[in-house]
Amino acid sequence: MPQPVSMMPQTTAWAVLGFLILLLIAFACWRWYRRWEANRYRREALVDLRKIEAGLAATTTRGEALVALPVLLKRTALSIWPRESVAGLHGTGWTGFLDAHSGGPVFPIASARFFEEAEYRGSQALATVPEPEARAYAAAARHWIEAHHVRA
């Protein structure tokens, strides 16, 4: 009876190649995990945005949901940019910051005006915003959360 065929590579080069392939796979998995962890704040912001969007349907909760929308964007920005460069922004400076970090204008003029003025209006005043308009503001916020990028 002949000896069973060995499963070990016959040359050292095959063993080195196998080790390099395993090392490359491990590196790719590590990079994917780091990127996934770095975007945790984005996933959490999108969960909060879904809760806000649920409150837009009813007139009684629409004002509170619209008040929470700019707060969510500010909180998202504060989670990745230094506090000194984000916390003091308001009005056109704030919407300019949002546009600058999204690769272009994300907010139509009406949405930009809403995000500039929303922090100065109360929930009762914002409750009168029609639902389609409120959903457009939420869609603009969703687009920014999903599309923004950090410049070095």
Side-chain angles (χ1 to χ4, degrees), residues 12-51:
T12 309
W14 285 112
V16 170
L17 181 64
F19 177 73
L20 288 176
I21 289 173
L22 285 176
L23 195 62
L24 184 64
I25 291 170
F27 179 72
C29 290
W30 176 73
R31 290 281 309 234
W32 173 84
Y33 178 75
R34 283 193 41 171
R35 185 172 179 88
W36 185 76
E37 276 297 311
N39 282 314
R40 177 187 303 217
Y41 76 93
R42 198 182 302 254
R43 290 189 306 275
E44 291 172 357
L46 289 171
V47 168
D48 290 345
L49 182 61
R50 275 187 228 111
K51 293 175 187 172

Side-chain angles (χ1 to χ4, degrees), residues 27-105:
F27 179 72
C29 290
W30 176 73
R31 290 281 309 234
W32 173 84
Y33 178 75
R34 283 193 41 171
R35 185 172 179 88
W36 185 76
E37 276 297 311
N39 282 314
R40 177 187 303 217
Y41 76 93
R42 198 182 302 254
R43 290 189 306 275
E44 291 172 357
L46 289 171
V47 168
D48 290 345
L49 182 61
R50 275 187 228 111
K51 293 175 187 172
I52 290 171
E53 288 173 334
L56 293 177
T59 309
T60 55
T61 58
R62 187 173 306 139
E64 295 162 3
L66 286 174
V67 166
L69 200 55
V71 172
L72 174 64
L73 288 181
K74 184 79 79 156
R75 209 173 63 229
T76 303
L78 282 170
S79 67
I80 50 174
W81 283 283
R83 185 171 199 73
E84 300 80 32
S85 63
V86 175
L89 294 175
H90 56 79
T92 56
W94 173 235
T95 54
F97 174 86
L98 294 174
D99 283 340
H101 289 89
S102 62

Side-chain angles (χ1 to χ4, degrees), residues 4 63 74 119 149:
K74 184 79 79 156
E119 60 188 331
H149 55 275

